[in-house]
Amino acid sequence: MTDTSRVGPANQQTNPSGSRPRVLIAAELESLLPEDPLPGYEAVWISTLDPTPRGDFVAAILLLSRSMGEEELEGLPKLQVLAQCAVGYDNIDLGAAARRGIPVTNTPDVLTESTADLAWALILAVARRMKEGQEMLAQDTWSGWSPTQLLGLELNGSTLGIVGAGRIGQAVGRRALGFGMRVSYSDAEGRPDFERAIGAERSDLPTLLAESDVVTLHLPSTAETRGIFDAHRFSLMKPGSLFINTARGDLVDEGALLESLDEGRLGGAGLDVFSREPQVPRELVEHPKVVALPHIGSATTQTRRAMAELAVKNALEVLAGREPLTPVRG
Ligand code: GLV
């Protein structure tokens, strides 16, 4: 790339040439974007592992691992837009951005289908006890086919409970039809189109938890939802049922989840997200009933490119004085 510069961490970033306005962009996105993705601007590629730089950046294109609160924004006085390359934006203090009049954008829609696929990969892996089966082969303890070996949950005829029926929750629900599952959902809003499309039924959360064989979580992380899956909520789940989380780790009390698995109350869990990423509780990851993945819900080449391109477009639209394509409405 000719139009870019790479800099070290946390130094005061100024524009010595004064030529082109500078855009802070996560270095991890570089290989997903075309050459010169920000014509007219100087792209300053900084890894999300580095501290947030201070300086005269007019836009910041961010990953969810970069926190953006009062302190970081204080150091970015020229910022006109925060363009998040993710659908979730719990790393950004929306209040702090709003107080400075800085719009925030995210990347919904483009990742819906790939994330729903991954939720299903986890549902299937946990329902059919794939981790235990793989381990049996890896440890060379398999003694041959047995009629009672590794019996799992038959999805056909079982109930899938979707907690949060937004875009991704609904895409997970659509796939359930192909597996012959009944679908129920809980959501602050009724979703009549979703109900009509696949015969989904809306329930309150306790009823959904009591009746579902598989519970799949698709809520954003907010002050209201954080920790929603605590010991009480797990105790309401149908004995032996499965818990899937491809949303955010901090929706879950991981200690309570582990206890429910150890007590045998839950039959298994599929987790793509953790509350203190990239740290993961070893007891959960190594648990025979848990299939755990390193936050790869949207990780297909096509989706990650589309996310990066949408984040860049959002930044450019705001810088050009236009409405962004996918604003976050705070
Ligand atoms: C990923 O977790 C996202 O929010 O896009």
Side-chain angles (χ1 to χ4, degrees):
M1 265 182 210
T2 50
D3 202 22
T4 62
S5 59
R6 284 194 167 277
V7 295
N11 31 18
Q12 176 78 22
Q13 299 297 324
T14 54
N15 186 354
S17 63
S19 51
R20 282 166 299 152
R22 290 145 56 85
V23 172
L24 166 60
I25 179 164
E28 292 81 353
L29 295 175
E30 191 170 5
S31 65
L32 295 168
L33 287 165
E35 283 262 322
D36 192 14
L38 294 153
Y41 295 88
E42 182 184 354
V44 181
W45 303 90
I46 297 183
S47 167
T48 285
L49 300 176
D50 291 328
T52 308
R54 306 169 72 79
D56 57 359
F57 300 102
V58 292
I61 299 170
L62 305 174
L63 305 185
L64 48 83
S65 37
R66 159 94 58 216
S67 292
M68 261 304 156
E70 289 287 355
E71 203 185 313
E72 290 81 6
L73 290 173
E74 202 57 53
L76 299 166
K78 297 272 179 345
L79 207 64
Q80 295 175 41
V81 55
L82 279 170
Q84 169 91 333
C85 184
V87 66
Y89 42 84
D90 40 302
N91 54 314
I92 299 174
D93 180 341
L94 293 185
R99 281 190 285 285
R100 290 169 170 78
I102 301 171
V104 177
T105 66
N106 66 341
T107 59
D109 301 315
V110 293
L111 48 62
T112 298
E113 304 302 330
S114 53
T115 307
D117 285 349
L118 194 89
W120 270 95
L122 287 172
I123 293 171
L124 288 164
V126 178
R128 300 307 298 272
R129 303 177 61 182
M130 288 187 191
K131 183 178 187 181
E132 292 162 272
Q134 275 199 322
E135 197 55 20
M136 198 179 263
L137 295 183
Q139 300 299 321
D140 203 12
T141 56
W142 187 40
S143 53
W145 193 90
S146 152
T148 55
Q149 193 168 64
L150 289 177
L151 302 184
L153 171 73
E154 174 115 0
L155 294 177
N156 185 38
S158 294
T159 298
L160 178 68
I162 298 172
V163 181
R167 300 175 188 85
I168 298 171
Q170 292 189 28
V172 170
R174 287 196 296 276
R175 285 156 173 75
L177 280 192
F179 288 94
M181 294 186 85
R182 177 181 160 252
V183 176
S184 69
Y185 75 97
S186 74
D187 198 286
E189 285 172 49
R191 308 283 187 172
D193 292 348
F194 180 49
E195 293 178 20
R196 266 192 302 278
I198 67 156
E201 286 168 31
R202 187 174 177 203
S203 297
D204 57 66
L205 186 56
T207 308
L208 177 144
L209 297 178
E211 293 182 351
S212 297
D213 301 288
V214 180
V215 171
T216 183
L217 190 47
H218 301 286
L219 291 171
S221 168
T222 65
E224 290 75 45
T225 61
R226 250 163 248 144
I228 183 171
F229 271 82
D230 56 7
H232 173 63
R233 295 259 158 59
F234 284 122
S235 77
L236 299 178
M237 285 177 66
K238 187 170 174 174
S241 59
L242 313 180
F243 177 74
I244 308 296
N245 187 7
T246 52
R248 282 292 182 270
D250 64 2
L251 300 171
V252 175
D253 175 340
E254 290 169 337
L257 170 61
L258 186 63
E259 242 169 65
S260 309
L261 287 160
D262 282 341
E263 282 165 5
R265 165 140 214 111
L266 290 190
L271 307 173
D272 186 43
V273 286
F274 298 90
S275 52
R276 296 210 324 277
E277 295 175 9
Q279 291 170 53
V280 288
R282 295 315 319 160
E283 300 95 319
L284 269 183
V285 169
E286 287 163 13
H287 199 289
K289 299 283 189 195
V290 174
V291 175
L293 297 172
H295 204 147
I296 54 169
S298 61
T300 68
T301 308
Q302 291 86 340
T303 291
R304 288 286 166 83
R305 282 206 177 118
M307 289 166 67
E309 282 165 15
L310 179 53
V312 166
K313 271 192 204 140
N314 275 324
L316 288 173
E317 287 301 296
V318 176
L319 291 173
R322 295 188 289 264
E323 269 295 298
L325 286 92
T326 50
V328 168
R329 310 224 181 256

